[in-house]
Amino acid sequence: MQKSFWPSALWTFKAYRDEKMVKTESVDQDVWEIPRSGKMNVPGRVWANKALMDALQEEAGEKPEWNALNQIQNVAMLPGIQKYSLALPDVHCGYGAAVGSVGAFGWEEGVIAFGLIGFDINCGLQTLATPFTEAEVLPKKKELADALYKTIPAGLGSSGKIKLSLDQVDEVLEKGARFALENGYGLKEDLHFLEESGRMQNADASLVSVDAKERLKSQLGTLGSGNHYLEVQVVERVFDEKSARALGLFEGQILVSIHCGSRGLGHQVGADSLEALDKATKKYNLFVPDRELVCAPIQSEEGQNYLKAVNAATNCAFANREVLAHLTRGAFERVMGIKEKEVCTLYGVGHNTAKVEKHKVDSKTRKLLVQRKGSTRGFGPGSRDVPEKYARVGQPVIVGGTMGTHSYVLTGTEKAMKETFGSALHGAGRTLSRVKALRTWNGESVVQDLARKGILVRGHGLKGIAEEAPGAYKDIDEVVDVVARAGLCKKVVRVKPWIVVKG
Amino acid sequence: MDCMFELFEHQADVGVRGIGRSWEEAFQETAKALFSIMVRIERVKHVHPVRVQVRAPDLGALLVKFLNALLVARDKKGMVFSAFDVVLTQGKEDWALTCTARGEKLNVVRHEPGTEVKAASYSELVLKKTGAKEFLAQCIVDV
């Protein structure tokens, strides 16, 4: 008797799914391992609680070839990767590499991979601390929201007031945040509190295409759209009084977080590099399990050129956030009547980066190229690269939530230095696609719901707001609890959103 | 089979897909899908032509390069596009694409801007002949 089509098709899909399914094993509370198999050079390691892991596995079952677990496994296959292909609890499916992942590669034998950096190079967060409390700003909340909305260029096609020549773009790419300062945007003190003091040393503007530079000519000091935002926040809870004091934070305090990156310039460096790395992958006969992971040996000419172009774009993002910090200070100055320097940079750190760092591998200190995609550096106390003021507490790790949920300021730990190459999570992590989010919410009702909770949203497009609805993300409190319980970060303060400017 | 474009799901970003009676049409439809993320494409008047030319070793890389070239034109000219005439030529070692994209300056009121696309990627890149006269092109774009 002939079987009906559907049960047979279902059986075939299940067999296919089971074959593709990435195996995970629990190795400790909140730690999962993807055992080394096939072409993997190292195991995968995922920091997640059971519910978060169940969600990752469910997603993998639905889309066997394109999912976060599969992408973590794929990164483990790249040449020269050290210890583990790592993922943090905010991990979700990206392109090539999962968003929320870390790959550390031996400087001599490793590769630099496109998917582990992506298009939005050095997209990151810069958080400013104001001297105000919520009660002090409350009478002017609406005025401040409107001032920020007018001041911060955001959304599709937005351009800033700064118009750059191609020579000036080169300066941005070489000097990073210093370019902003030299041109009157930002404060000198900020440099102490930016990763790499706001300037990557090994940057080469001549390796960035004219197309990329043209795109920046009127985009410096713009926010962009998508998940980029400027958020005024209130410190709602202090977990660690001593660390909070060291970071200059207190309950009720108003903070401002700016989330954005290197704009069209960085995207173009990505697009240009994709082609160059595609060629290099073939030239050096490198095995890549996903074309988006095209790569080049770090020591090759192509690898060095890509790294120097990435560093240039990284500098562009540092400058961009510093200009936006300046514009934010201007809005506070006008509305609250304070001086620019009273709004200090708490810390600024990137998410999509490639950094030369030294870490212990098999008890030896090794020079590595740590590539973080949708994850952030989170160095522990005493690390050379942590600002002197924070040396005893560790680097601030800013975890950006959604426009309706908490964000956190954590600090890096010694354990993270050993377990995750000094890396930490960057946000909540998406759980619902943009297409599904648009089907589920409409922008207007999201704005109204948030207004009822006391959160003022000023957006340049309702569609973008619906895509970024808080329900489209994982529960940030749960995600942060995982890294805190695991000892990868220490909780310092939790903040709530108050005013949100979206592109 | 009529030409069509659609967006498909991806957890963090968006998939763009174009289906047509030739590779040219599939590429054109994918370009429409790309701009449909950013604007109400039906409201974009196709008045000003912009020429885009790219070459790539294979059709997949050509699609990604084509979409990225349109994003460069968007940023450099401050325009958005809604109509595309694509001509493909297969050479000995690579493919060449010439496209006349038609559109106009972005109008934030009329076009109701959505999310800015950062770039097209190789992720979920598929170019497939799905029928006698049906061609499908797709990839994930970073937003």
Side-chain angles (χ1 to χ4, degrees):
Chain A
M1 198 176 81
Q2 195 182 353
K3 282 181 185 173
S4 70
F5 171 75
W6 282 111
S8 139
L10 193 62
W11 182 86
T12 310
F13 175 73
K14 276 185 179 164
Y16 171 75
R17 185 194 61 192
D18 292 346
E19 188 198 312
K20 290 273 174 196
M21 198 75 180
V22 175
K23 312 280 181 297
T24 53
E25 290 172 1
S26 169
V27 290
D28 204 346
Q29 192 191 9
D30 300 330
V31 188
W32 303 78
E33 189 153 306
I34 301 172
R36 199 176 152 184
S37 66
K39 292 191 163 89
M40 290 169 78
N41 293 314
V42 292
R45 180 153 277 209
V46 187
W47 299 81
N49 63 17
K50 172 118 185 16
L52 292 166
M53 178 50 76
D54 285 349
L56 289 172
Q57 278 167 336
E58 194 184 328
E59 180 218 344
E62 284 167 14
K63 229 175 164 186
E65 276 187 276
W66 310 98
N67 59 72
L69 292 175
N70 188 291
Q71 290 175 337
I72 297 161
Q73 189 178 49
N74 287 345
V75 168
M77 297 180 194
L78 295 175
I81 187 164
Q82 303 294 307
K83 283 167 82 171
Y84 301 106
S85 166
L86 288 165
L88 293 146
D90 54 338
V91 69
H92 58 276
C93 184
Y95 46 89
V99 180
S101 61
V102 183
F105 293 78
W107 182 249
E108 300 300 330
E109 75 279 30
V111 294
I112 178 165
F114 181 82
L116 271 167
I117 301 163
F119 292 102
D120 202 356
I121 299 167
N122 195 17
C123 169
L125 274 160
Q126 186 165 338
T127 295
L128 310 174
T130 78
F132 296 114
T133 62
E134 180 181 12
E136 285 165 338
V137 190
L138 193 59
K140 296 200 167 181
K141 185 175 180 181
K142 195 176 164 298
E143 201 184 324
L144 181 64
D146 293 337
L148 288 166
Y149 178 71
K150 273 188 206 153
T151 309
I152 305 292
L156 179 72
S158 60
S159 55
K161 282 189 180 149
I162 303 169
K163 305 294 173 202
L164 302 172
S165 66
L166 285 177
D167 285 344
Q168 286 174 310
V169 172
D170 283 350
E171 272 191 71
V172 172
L173 302 186
E174 306 269 351
K175 293 180 177 172
R178 279 168 205 274
F179 174 87
L181 296 182
E182 286 173 11
N183 288 276
Y185 309 104
L187 297 175
K188 203 172 152 198
E189 299 75 46
D190 288 344
L191 296 183
H192 299 301
F193 302 104
L194 300 179
E195 183 181 17
E196 303 289 340
S197 303
R199 180 192 197 179
M200 294 295 288
Q201 296 292 336
N202 190 23
D204 188 344
S206 72
L207 295 166
V208 174
S209 70
V210 173
D211 271 348
K213 291 173 187 174
E214 288 276 353
R215 290 176 78 170
L216 188 71
K217 279 165 93 176
S218 59
Q219 284 190 344
L220 190 69
T222 63
L223 196 62
S225 68
N227 64 358
H228 294 171
Y229 60 79
L230 180 144
E231 193 171 284
V232 179
Q233 305 160 326
V234 179
V235 177
E236 189 192 59
R237 186 172 166 194
V238 175
F239 296 98
D240 178 341
E241 200 57 65
K242 206 172 140 199
S243 297
R245 243 194 327 271
L247 301 183
L249 300 174
F250 55 88
E251 199 172 320
Q253 185 181 13
I254 295 280
L255 306 182
V256 184
S257 279
I258 300 162
H259 179 226
C260 67
S262 44
R263 309 291 295 116
L265 182 136
H267 312 158
Q268 192 59 37
V269 167
D272 294 336
S273 306
L274 199 54
E275 196 185 0
L277 293 174
D278 205 13
K279 282 184 191 156
T281 303
K282 287 181 192 125
K283 180 179 165 186
Y284 295 102
N285 199 22
L286 300 168
F287 170 75
V288 290
D290 178 333
R291 196 170 178 183
E292 196 64 19
L293 287 174
V294 286
C295 52
I298 297 167
Q299 294 305 321
S300 67
E301 189 186 352
E302 293 88 342
Q304 285 296 309
N305 286 351
Y306 178 45
L307 179 59
K308 287 171 190 169
V310 164
N311 286 342
T314 300
N315 284 342
C316 169
F318 282 137
N320 192 39
R321 287 195 286 272
E322 187 61 16
V323 173
L324 288 167
H326 169 80
L327 297 175
T328 304
R329 286 173 168 131
F332 269 86
E333 207 174 340
R334 285 192 297 282
V335 176
M336 299 302 297
I338 56 160
K339 286 185 183 144
E340 210 188 354
K341 61 168 74 164
E342 289 179 77
V343 179
C344 311
T345 290
L346 167 69
Y347 202 62
V349 69
H351 298 155
N352 303 333
T353 54
K355 307 286 295 290
V356 181
E357 294 171 8
K358 285 187 177 162
H359 292 278
K360 279 209 166 145
V361 181
D362 300 331
S363 69
K364 281 185 192 153
T365 301
R366 290 209 56 197
K367 186 176 179 183
L368 305 173
L369 187 67
V370 184
Q371 295 161 58
R372 298 186 176 95
K373 179 75 183 84
S375 57
T376 181
R377 203 184 72 173
F379 281 1
S383 299
R384 198 171 56 88
D385 295 315
V386 175
E388 210 183 318
K389 191 180 164 196
Y390 305 150
R392 288 168 74 176
V393 292
Q395 181 210 302
V397 171
I398 306 159
V399 187
T402 74
M403 52 187 150
T405 55
H406 300 130
S407 292
Y408 284 81
V409 180
L410 318 173
T411 47
T413 63
E414 274 301 319
K415 189 173 180 191
M417 300 308 286
K418 287 177 195 150
E419 302 277 347
T420 60
F421 302 102
S423 308
L425 77 174
H426 83 313
R430 275 195 89 92
T431 181
L432 210 63
S433 76
R434 289 174 184 278
V435 174
K436 258 193 196 141
L438 279 175
R439 275 192 224 129
T440 313
W441 295 284
N442 77 64
E444 219 160 315
S445 60
V446 171
V447 172
Q448 284 164 4
D449 283 352
L450 293 171
R452 276 192 286 275
K453 291 178 188 164
I455 303 161
L456 292 183
V457 179
R458 296 287 185 270
H460 289 261
L462 289 168
K463 198 176 154 197
I465 288 170
E467 285 182 12
E468 288 292 316
Y473 283 81
K474 298 183 194 186
D475 177 349
I476 194 164
D477 300 325
E478 186 184 358
V479 163
V480 166
D481 278 346
V482 172
V483 289
R485 201 165 46 228
L488 298 179
C489 295
K490 253 176 85 180
K491 284 189 198 177
V492 181
V493 303
R494 186 173 74 201
V495 305
K496 63 175 185 185
W498 213 55
I499 296 169
V500 185
V501 177
K502 292 288 287 179
Chain B
M1 164 77 209
D2 288 331
C3 299
M4 62 160 286
F5 69 84
E6 63 182 354
L7 304 179
F8 63 94
E9 285 184 26
H10 179 271
Q11 207 168 25
D13 299 300
V14 183
V16 290
R17 182 180 290 144
I19 297 171
R21 288 158 297 194
S22 62
W23 286 124
E24 280 87 351
E25 283 188 356
F27 274 50
Q28 285 163 193
E29 294 300 312
T30 313
K32 285 184 197 167
L34 175 77
F35 278 89
S36 77
I37 298 169
M38 296 183 268
V39 282
R40 294 279 291 264
I41 191 170
E42 70 280 7
R43 295 186 183 175
V44 177
K45 294 176 189 161
H46 31 94
V47 281
H48 300 298
V50 172
R51 206 171 154 86
V52 168
Q53 285 181 301
V54 288
R55 299 186 84 91
D58 57 87
L59 271 177
L62 192 73
L63 176 73
V64 169
K65 221 172 158 185
F66 166 52
L67 298 179
N68 283 327
L70 290 173
L71 297 178
V72 174
R74 175 204 66 189
D75 275 6
K76 279 164 79 170
K77 297 182 184 295
M79 287 176 68
V80 284
F81 306 99
S82 56
F84 307 88
D85 287 323
V86 168
V87 178
L88 296 180
T89 326
Q90 190 173 13
K92 270 188 187 166
E93 288 184 350
D94 63 358
W95 286 81
L97 174 148
T98 304
C99 170
T100 305
R102 290 185 171 81
E104 60 177 329
K105 288 271 179 203
L106 175 73
N107 180 320
V108 291
V109 178
R110 183 156 46 85
H111 297 149
E112 282 188 26
T115 305
E116 179 186 67
V117 175
K118 294 170 187 166
S121 80
Y122 286 155
S123 198
E124 301 195 38
L125 175 62
V126 177
L127 285 107
K128 201 163 60 175
K129 199 162 179 266
T130 44
K133 279 194 171 179
E134 192 179 290
F135 296 77
L136 177 149
Q138 69 166 52
C139 71
I140 299 295
V141 298
D142 186 1
V143 295

